[in-house]
Amino acid sequence: MFEVVKFWWKTGLRGWCFAARIPGLIVALSGLLLLGPGIANAQTNWTLDPSASVLTYQSVKKNTIVETNKIRNIAGTLSSAGDAKVTFDLNSVDTGVDLRNVRMRFLFFETFKYPSAELTAKVDPAAFADLAAKRRVKAVLPFRLNLHGVEKDLEASVVVTMISDNMVSVASEAPVAVHVEDFGLLPNVDKLQQAANVTNIVPTASVSFDFVFTADGSKPAGVQTVAAGAADVGPVATDTAKANFSDEECLNRFAVLSRTGAIYFRTASARLDAQSRPLLAEVVGVVGKCPSLKVEVSGHTDSDGSPDANKVLSERRAEAVADAIVAAGIPRTQVTAAGYGEERPVAANDTPKNKALNRRIEFSASKPVN
Protein backbone atom coordinates (compact mmCIF):
# COMPACT_ATOMS: atom_id res chain seq x y z
CA MET A 1 0.00 0.00 0.00
CA PHE A 2 2.83 2.35 0.82
CA GLU A 3 4.88 3.51 -2.09
CA VAL A 4 8.28 4.89 -1.25
CA VAL A 5 8.88 8.33 -2.60
CA LYS A 6 11.53 8.62 -5.25
CA PHE A 7 13.15 11.88 -6.11
CA TRP A 8 15.70 11.67 -8.85
CA TRP A 9 18.01 14.52 -9.63
CA LYS A 10 20.85 14.95 -12.09
CA THR A 11 22.69 16.50 -9.21
CA GLY A 12 21.47 16.24 -5.68
CA LEU A 13 20.16 18.45 -3.02
CA ARG A 14 17.52 17.33 -0.63
CA GLY A 15 15.96 20.78 -0.70
CA TRP A 16 14.47 20.35 -4.16
CA CYS A 17 13.10 16.98 -3.40
CA PHE A 18 11.35 18.39 -0.44
CA ALA A 19 9.66 21.02 -2.53
CA ALA A 20 8.16 18.46 -4.82
CA ARG A 21 6.75 16.30 -2.16
CA ILE A 22 4.54 19.06 -0.93
CA PRO A 23 2.31 18.88 -3.93
CA GLY A 24 2.37 15.16 -3.35
CA LEU A 25 0.83 15.73 0.00
CA ILE A 26 -1.79 17.81 -1.61
CA VAL A 27 -2.55 15.01 -3.97
CA ALA A 28 -3.08 12.65 -1.14
CA LEU A 29 -5.55 14.96 0.39
CA SER A 30 -7.52 15.05 -2.76
CA GLY A 31 -7.60 11.30 -2.62
CA LEU A 32 -9.12 11.57 0.78
CA LEU A 33 -12.18 13.04 -0.85
CA LEU A 34 -12.89 9.59 -2.13
CA LEU A 35 -14.21 8.71 1.28
CA GLY A 36 -17.87 8.99 0.45
CA PRO A 37 -21.10 7.43 1.59
CA GLY A 38 -20.69 3.70 2.12
CA ILE A 39 -17.88 4.14 4.59
CA ALA A 40 -19.03 4.62 8.16
CA ASN A 41 -22.13 6.62 7.22
CA ALA A 42 -23.11 9.42 4.91
CA GLN A 43 -22.69 12.04 7.63
CA THR A 44 -19.19 10.96 8.65
CA ASN A 45 -16.32 13.42 8.86
CA TRP A 46 -12.74 12.18 8.59
CA THR A 47 -9.46 13.18 10.23
CA LEU A 48 -5.93 12.43 9.10
CA ASP A 49 -4.00 10.23 11.53
CA PRO A 50 -0.50 11.79 11.67
CA SER A 51 0.97 8.83 13.55
CA ALA A 52 0.07 6.42 10.72
CA SER A 53 0.67 8.66 7.74
CA VAL A 54 3.85 9.34 5.82
CA LEU A 55 5.14 11.78 3.23
CA THR A 56 8.55 10.67 2.02
CA TYR A 57 10.90 11.89 -0.65
CA GLN A 58 14.27 10.72 -1.87
CA SER A 59 17.00 12.75 -3.49
CA VAL A 60 20.22 11.88 -5.25
CA LYS A 61 23.27 14.06 -4.80
CA LYS A 62 26.76 13.79 -6.27
CA ASN A 63 25.25 11.36 -8.81
CA THR A 64 25.36 8.37 -6.44
CA ILE A 65 24.27 9.38 -2.93
CA VAL A 66 20.57 8.76 -2.24
CA GLU A 67 18.93 10.45 0.75
CA THR A 68 15.45 9.81 2.16
CA ASN A 69 13.61 12.60 3.98
CA LYS A 70 10.16 13.50 5.28
CA ILE A 71 7.80 16.18 6.45
CA ARG A 72 6.71 14.98 9.86
CA ASN A 73 3.87 17.18 11.10
CA ILE A 74 0.77 17.01 8.93
CA ALA A 75 -2.92 17.45 9.69
CA GLY A 76 -6.02 17.04 7.58
CA THR A 77 -9.79 16.79 7.58
CA LEU A 78 -12.49 15.70 5.16
CA SER A 79 -16.10 16.68 5.71
CA SER A 80 -19.08 14.55 4.81
CA ALA A 81 -19.83 17.14 2.12
CA GLY A 82 -16.49 16.44 0.41
CA ASP A 83 -14.55 19.51 1.60
CA ALA A 84 -10.93 18.53 2.21
CA LYS A 85 -8.12 20.51 3.78
CA VAL A 86 -4.63 19.37 4.69
CA THR A 87 -1.91 21.46 6.23
CA PHE A 88 1.70 20.59 6.81
CA ASP A 89 4.23 22.22 9.04
CA LEU A 90 7.28 23.12 6.98
CA ASN A 91 9.28 23.55 10.17
CA SER A 92 9.02 19.78 10.63
CA VAL A 93 11.27 19.00 7.67
CA ASP A 94 13.20 15.86 8.59
CA THR A 95 16.36 15.20 6.60
CA GLY A 96 18.07 13.34 9.41
CA VAL A 97 20.62 16.17 9.86
CA ASP A 98 19.85 19.32 11.85
CA LEU A 99 21.91 21.66 9.63
CA ARG A 100 20.14 20.43 6.50
CA ASN A 101 16.77 20.79 8.17
CA VAL A 102 17.57 24.41 8.98
CA ARG A 103 18.73 25.13 5.44
CA MET A 104 15.51 23.76 4.03
CA ARG A 105 13.41 25.77 6.45
CA PHE A 106 15.11 29.15 6.28
CA LEU A 107 16.68 29.20 2.84
CA PHE A 108 14.26 27.26 0.66
CA PHE A 109 10.80 27.47 2.22
CA GLU A 110 11.49 30.68 4.16
CA THR A 111 9.43 29.42 7.07
CA PHE A 112 9.94 32.69 8.95
CA LYS A 113 7.44 34.08 6.40
CA TYR A 114 5.62 30.95 5.20
CA PRO A 115 5.60 28.39 8.05
CA SER A 116 3.04 26.05 6.50
CA ALA A 117 1.51 24.92 3.24
CA GLU A 118 -2.12 24.02 2.66
CA LEU A 119 -4.06 21.81 0.32
CA THR A 120 -7.76 22.24 -0.34
CA ALA A 121 -10.07 20.23 -2.58
CA LYS A 122 -13.75 19.69 -3.29
CA VAL A 123 -15.12 16.38 -4.55
CA ASP A 124 -18.63 14.98 -4.80
CA PRO A 125 -18.65 12.05 -2.33
CA ALA A 126 -21.45 10.38 -4.29
CA ALA A 127 -19.03 9.85 -7.15
CA PHE A 128 -17.21 7.28 -4.99
CA ALA A 129 -20.15 5.63 -3.30
CA ASP A 130 -18.95 2.17 -4.39
CA LEU A 131 -15.65 2.35 -2.50
CA ALA A 132 -17.06 0.26 0.35
CA ALA A 133 -17.85 -2.55 -2.09
CA LYS A 134 -14.68 -2.36 -4.19
CA ARG A 135 -12.35 -1.69 -1.21
CA ARG A 136 -9.87 -0.04 -3.55
CA VAL A 137 -10.45 2.80 -6.02
CA LYS A 138 -8.18 4.76 -8.35
CA ALA A 139 -8.92 8.29 -9.45
CA VAL A 140 -7.46 11.48 -10.85
CA LEU A 141 -8.38 14.27 -8.49
CA PRO A 142 -7.97 18.07 -8.69
CA PHE A 143 -6.70 20.13 -5.77
CA ARG A 144 -5.39 23.58 -4.95
CA LEU A 145 -1.99 24.00 -3.29
CA ASN A 146 -1.01 27.10 -1.34
CA LEU A 147 2.78 27.10 -0.95
CA HIS A 148 5.17 30.00 -0.35
CA GLY A 149 2.33 32.45 -0.76
CA VAL A 150 1.38 31.11 -4.20
CA GLU A 151 -1.79 29.17 -5.06
CA LYS A 152 -1.87 26.75 -7.97
CA ASP A 153 -4.46 24.26 -9.22
CA LEU A 154 -3.04 20.77 -9.80
CA GLU A 155 -4.24 17.21 -10.16
CA ALA A 156 -2.82 13.79 -9.42
CA SER A 157 -3.56 10.06 -9.54
CA VAL A 158 -4.27 8.41 -6.19
CA VAL A 159 -5.26 5.00 -4.87
CA VAL A 160 -7.77 4.91 -2.00
CA THR A 161 -7.94 1.69 0.01
CA MET A 162 -10.34 0.77 2.81
CA ILE A 163 -8.32 -0.61 5.69
CA SER A 164 -11.47 -1.00 7.76
CA ASP A 165 -14.94 0.51 7.85
CA ASN A 166 -13.49 3.39 9.83
CA MET A 167 -10.03 3.74 8.31
CA VAL A 168 -8.94 4.59 4.79
CA SER A 169 -5.53 4.93 3.17
CA VAL A 170 -4.86 7.47 0.42
CA ALA A 171 -1.63 6.77 -1.45
CA SER A 172 0.05 8.00 -4.61
CA GLU A 173 -0.40 5.73 -7.61
CA ALA A 174 2.70 7.21 -9.23
CA PRO A 175 5.22 9.89 -8.22
CA VAL A 176 3.91 13.40 -8.71
CA ALA A 177 6.11 15.84 -10.63
CA VAL A 178 6.23 19.41 -9.36
CA HIS A 179 7.97 22.43 -10.85
CA VAL A 180 9.26 24.59 -8.04
CA GLU A 181 9.34 27.71 -10.16
CA ASP A 182 5.53 27.60 -10.16
CA PHE A 183 5.67 28.61 -6.49
CA GLY A 184 8.28 31.35 -6.74
CA LEU A 185 11.00 29.20 -5.20
CA LEU A 186 13.65 29.38 -7.91
CA PRO A 187 15.58 32.26 -6.30
CA ASN A 188 15.89 30.22 -3.13
CA VAL A 189 17.62 27.42 -4.99
CA ASP A 190 20.67 29.61 -5.41
CA LYS A 191 20.81 30.06 -1.65
CA LEU A 192 20.66 26.31 -1.12
CA GLN A 193 23.33 25.66 -3.72
CA GLN A 194 25.70 28.13 -2.11
CA ALA A 195 25.01 26.95 1.42
CA ALA A 196 25.48 23.26 0.54
CA ASN A 197 28.15 23.87 -2.12
CA VAL A 198 26.06 22.04 -4.74
CA THR A 199 25.46 23.09 -8.35
CA ASN A 200 23.15 22.22 -11.28
CA ILE A 201 20.10 21.31 -9.22
CA VAL A 202 17.19 20.25 -11.42
CA PRO A 203 14.11 22.37 -10.54
CA THR A 204 11.63 19.52 -10.82
CA ALA A 205 10.94 16.75 -8.31
CA SER A 206 8.48 13.97 -7.53
CA VAL A 207 6.89 12.57 -4.39
CA SER A 208 5.04 9.54 -3.02
CA PHE A 209 2.94 9.24 0.12
CA ASP A 210 0.52 7.16 2.16
CA PHE A 211 -2.03 9.02 4.28
CA VAL A 212 -4.40 7.28 6.67
CA PHE A 213 -7.74 8.85 7.63
CA THR A 214 -10.05 7.69 10.40
CA ALA A 215 -13.75 8.36 10.86
CA ASP A 216 -14.43 10.91 13.57
CA GLY A 217 -15.60 9.27 16.78
CA SER A 218 -14.18 5.85 15.91
CA LYS A 219 -11.48 4.10 17.88
CA PRO A 220 -8.14 3.53 16.13
CA ALA A 221 -8.23 0.19 14.37
CA GLY A 222 -5.66 -2.43 15.32
CA VAL A 223 -4.18 -2.39 11.85
CA GLN A 224 -0.45 -2.10 11.30
CA THR A 225 0.46 -0.30 8.11
CA VAL A 226 3.92 0.25 6.74
CA ALA A 227 3.70 3.92 7.66
CA ALA A 228 2.54 3.27 11.20
CA GLY A 229 5.26 0.69 11.78
CA ALA A 230 8.09 3.03 10.88
CA ALA A 231 10.01 4.43 13.84
CA ASP A 232 10.47 7.83 12.20
CA VAL A 233 6.86 8.40 11.15
CA GLY A 234 4.53 10.76 12.94
CA PRO A 235 4.76 14.17 14.59
CA VAL A 236 8.08 15.58 15.75
CA ALA A 237 8.95 18.43 18.10
CA THR A 238 9.93 21.58 16.20
CA ASP A 239 12.04 24.52 17.39
CA THR A 240 8.96 26.18 18.86
CA ALA A 241 8.59 23.39 21.41
CA LYS A 242 12.23 23.49 22.54
CA ALA A 243 13.16 25.48 25.64
CA ASN A 244 16.81 25.84 24.61
CA PHE A 245 19.10 24.76 21.78
CA SER A 246 22.36 22.91 22.08
CA ASP A 247 25.48 24.87 21.13
CA GLU A 248 25.59 22.99 17.81
CA GLU A 249 21.96 23.80 17.07
CA CYS A 250 22.62 27.47 17.88
CA LEU A 251 25.60 27.64 15.53
CA ASN A 252 23.65 25.91 12.76
CA ARG A 253 20.81 28.39 13.02
CA PHE A 254 22.99 31.48 13.14
CA ALA A 255 25.01 30.31 10.14
CA VAL A 256 21.89 29.70 8.04
CA LEU A 257 20.04 32.83 9.18
CA SER A 258 23.03 34.82 7.97
CA ARG A 259 22.43 33.50 4.44
CA THR A 260 18.76 34.40 4.14
CA GLY A 261 19.31 37.95 2.89
CA ALA A 262 15.99 38.84 4.50
CA ILE A 263 17.04 41.88 6.52
CA TYR A 264 16.39 45.02 4.50
CA PHE A 265 17.42 48.67 4.78
CA ARG A 266 16.58 51.72 2.77
CA THR A 267 19.27 52.58 0.21
CA ALA A 268 22.38 54.10 1.87
CA SER A 269 20.50 54.08 5.18
CA ALA A 270 20.62 52.20 8.47
CA ARG A 271 16.85 52.36 8.88
CA LEU A 272 15.34 48.88 8.98
CA ASP A 273 12.55 48.18 6.52
CA ALA A 274 9.32 46.62 7.77
CA GLN A 275 9.98 43.59 5.56
CA SER A 276 12.77 42.65 7.98
CA ARG A 277 10.36 41.89 10.83
CA PRO A 278 9.69 38.18 10.09
CA LEU A 279 13.38 37.26 10.06
CA LEU A 280 14.18 39.48 13.03
CA ALA A 281 11.48 37.69 15.01
CA GLU A 282 13.10 34.36 14.08
CA VAL A 283 16.52 35.66 15.11
CA VAL A 284 15.17 36.84 18.46
CA GLY A 285 13.68 33.40 19.04
CA VAL A 286 17.00 31.70 18.33
CA VAL A 287 19.09 34.09 20.44
CA GLY A 288 16.68 33.63 23.33
CA LYS A 289 17.17 29.87 23.21
CA CYS A 290 20.98 30.18 23.17
CA PRO A 291 21.49 31.91 26.55
CA SER A 292 25.00 30.48 27.03
CA LEU A 293 26.32 32.12 23.84
CA LYS A 294 27.19 35.69 23.01
CA VAL A 295 25.93 36.81 19.60
CA GLU A 296 27.69 39.25 17.28
CA VAL A 297 25.66 41.06 14.64
CA SER A 298 27.98 42.06 11.81
CA GLY A 299 27.27 44.43 8.95
CA HIS A 300 28.84 44.19 5.49
CA THR A 301 28.62 46.27 2.30
CA ASP A 302 29.62 46.06 -1.34
CA SER A 303 32.50 48.13 -2.75
CA ASP A 304 30.44 51.03 -4.10
CA GLY A 305 31.44 54.25 -2.39
CA SER A 306 34.45 54.96 -0.21
CA PRO A 307 35.80 52.31 2.18
CA ASP A 308 35.44 54.67 5.15
CA ALA A 309 31.83 55.50 4.37
CA ASN A 310 31.02 51.82 3.85
CA LYS A 311 32.51 50.89 7.19
CA VAL A 312 30.45 53.52 8.98
CA LEU A 313 27.28 52.41 7.19
CA SER A 314 27.92 48.75 8.05
CA GLU A 315 28.43 49.65 11.71
CA ARG A 316 25.19 51.64 11.85
CA ARG A 317 23.24 48.82 10.21
CA ALA A 318 24.65 46.21 12.57
CA GLU A 319 23.80 48.42 15.55
CA ALA A 320 20.23 48.89 14.24
CA VAL A 321 19.73 45.13 14.11
CA ALA A 322 21.30 44.61 17.54
CA ASP A 323 19.05 47.33 18.97
CA ALA A 324 15.98 45.63 17.49
CA ILE A 325 16.98 42.31 19.07
CA VAL A 326 17.50 43.95 22.47
CA ALA A 327 14.20 45.83 22.15
CA ALA A 328 12.49 42.44 21.77
CA GLY A 329 13.72 41.39 25.22
CA ILE A 330 17.20 39.93 24.72
CA PRO A 331 19.76 41.16 27.32
CA ARG A 332 22.12 43.80 25.93
CA THR A 333 25.04 41.87 27.44
CA GLN A 334 24.32 38.96 25.06
CA VAL A 335 24.42 40.98 21.83
CA THR A 336 27.19 43.03 20.25
CA ALA A 337 27.44 44.82 16.89
CA ALA A 338 30.35 45.27 14.50
CA GLY A 339 30.72 46.72 11.01
CA TYR A 340 33.25 45.45 8.50
CA GLY A 341 32.33 47.57 5.50
CA GLU A 342 33.62 46.05 2.26
CA GLU A 343 36.46 44.15 3.96
CA ARG A 344 34.86 40.67 3.88
CA PRO A 345 33.12 40.09 0.54
CA VAL A 346 31.52 36.72 -0.16
CA ALA A 347 31.49 37.36 -3.92
CA ALA A 348 33.27 39.55 -6.45
CA ASN A 349 31.79 43.05 -6.66
CA ASP A 350 31.39 42.71 -10.43
CA THR A 351 27.62 42.28 -10.93
CA PRO A 352 24.46 43.62 -9.25
CA LYS A 353 23.70 40.10 -8.00
CA ASN A 354 27.13 39.67 -6.41
CA LYS A 355 27.01 43.13 -4.89
CA ALA A 356 23.68 42.24 -3.31
CA LEU A 357 25.29 39.17 -1.75
CA ASN A 358 27.95 41.36 -0.19
CA ARG A 359 25.41 43.77 1.32
CA ARG A 360 24.38 41.63 4.24
CA ILE A 361 23.90 41.16 7.97
CA GLU A 362 25.48 38.09 9.57
CA PHE A 363 25.12 36.46 12.98
CA SER A 364 27.86 34.58 14.80
CA ALA A 365 28.01 33.13 18.30
CA SER A 366 30.73 32.34 20.77
CA LYS A 367 31.16 31.43 24.43
CA PRO A 368 31.55 34.49 26.67
CA VAL A 369 35.12 35.06 27.85
CA ASN A 370 35.36 35.03 31.64
Side-chain angles (χ1 to χ4, degrees):
M1 181 188 315
F2 171 72
E3 180 180 24
V4 177
V5 181
K6 294 186 178 178
F7 277 55
W8 299 104
W9 304 86
K10 293 180 181 176
T11 59
L13 182 65
R14 65 183 66 237
W16 280 111
C17 301
F18 185 70
R21 77 196 156 185
I22 291 181
L25 172 57
I26 309 296
V27 173
L29 298 185
S30 299
L32 172 59
L33 296 176
L34 294 176
L35 310 180
I39 303 178
N41 61 70
Q43 302 304 315
T44 299
N45 296 316
W46 299 79
T47 301
L48 184 145
D49 182 354
S51 66
S53 302
V54 64
L55 178 63
T56 306
Y57 64 93
Q58 290 182 340
S59 62
V60 178
K61 70 178 184 180
K62 298 180 180 178
N63 296 324
T64 59
I65 300 175
V66 179
E67 298 172 334
T68 301
N69 311 304
K70 299 178 174 68
I71 291 183
R72 299 289 294 273
N73 298 352
I74 57 177
T77 58
L78 173 66
S79 73
S80 59
D83 297 307
K85 180 171 73 171
V86 175
T87 60
F88 39 99
D89 181 2
L90 300 181
N91 282 305
S92 68
V93 174
D94 184 8
T95 69
V97 179
D98 181 66
L99 179 57
R100 292 170 177 166
N101 292 349
V102 178
R103 286 173 181 166
M104 283 302 308
R105 290 166 47 200
F106 296 152
L107 300 183
F108 187 71
F109 289 114
E110 297 183 316
T111 55
F112 50 90
K113 291 191 292 185
Y114 308 102
S116 64
E118 182 179 87
L119 159 78
T120 56
K122 174 71 175 181
V123 173
D124 179 7
F128 304 97
D130 58 352
L131 178 58
K134 292 184 175 180
R135 312 300 291 186
R136 188 170 185 268
V137 173
K138 296 181 180 181
V140 175
L141 296 172
F143 60 90
R144 172 164 290 187
L145 174 61
N146 187 323
L147 170 64
H148 199 246
V150 177
E151 289 191 350
K152 187 172 179 62
D153 292 324
L154 302 169
E155 65 177 24
S157 298
V158 297
V159 178
V160 179
T161 304
M162 288 189 62
I163 299 173
S164 71
D165 287 345
N166 298 311
M167 182 177 289
V168 177
S169 163
V170 181
S172 53
E173 181 181 17
V176 179
V178 174
H179 304 290
V180 296
E181 63 266 32
D182 290 344
F183 297 93
L185 291 166
L186 273 180
N188 297 351
V189 174
D190 287 342
K191 296 177 183 179
L192 283 177
Q193 290 183 147
Q194 292 185 15
N197 194 26
V198 177
T199 59
N200 300 321
I201 299 174
V202 178
T204 301
S206 58
V207 63
S208 297
F209 51 85
D210 186 1
F211 295 144
V212 174
F213 291 85
T214 58
D216 287 358
S218 64
K219 294 182 179 180
V223 178
Q224 293 295 323
T225 65
V226 175
D232 58 350
V233 169
V236 65
T238 61
D239 284 4
T240 301
K242 295 181 180 180
N244 289 301
F245 297 132
S246 67
D247 286 353
E248 179 182 3
E249 289 174 329
C250 291
L251 295 177
N252 287 344
R253 281 151 185 75
F254 289 130
V256 175
L257 287 169
S258 297
R259 292 178 173 272
T260 58
I263 292 182
Y264 308 96
F265 299 91
R266 295 187 178 183
T267 302
S269 168
R271 183 173 180 178
L272 282 164
D273 189 276
Q275 295 181 69
S276 304
R277 291 174 184 168
L279 184 64
L280 284 173
E282 192 73 48
V283 171
V284 170
V286 173
V287 175
K289 294 183 179 183
C290 300
S292 65
L293 297 180
K294 191 167 186 176
V295 178
E296 179 187 273
V297 181
S298 59
H300 305 266
T301 69
D302 59 30
S303 61
D304 290 351
S306 72
D308 289 344
N310 284 335
K311 186 170 180 62
V312 171
L313 178 60
S314 67
E315 290 171 348
R316 292 176 57 214
R317 286 181 169 179
E319 289 169 357
V321 174
D323 288 345
I325 294 173
V326 171
I330 300 300
R332 169 62 72 176
T333 54
Q334 193 183 351
V335 184
T336 61
Y340 297 96
E342 59 189 73
E343 298 170 7
R344 302 181 180 182
V346 294
N349 285 290
D350 56 355
T351 66
K353 179 179 179 180
N354 284 343
K355 288 180 180 181
L357 292 175
N358 289 329
R359 297 190 300 269
R360 67 196 190 278
I361 292 291
E362 292 185 343
F363 305 93
S364 59
S366 60
K367 288 284 189 180
V369 178
N370 295 325

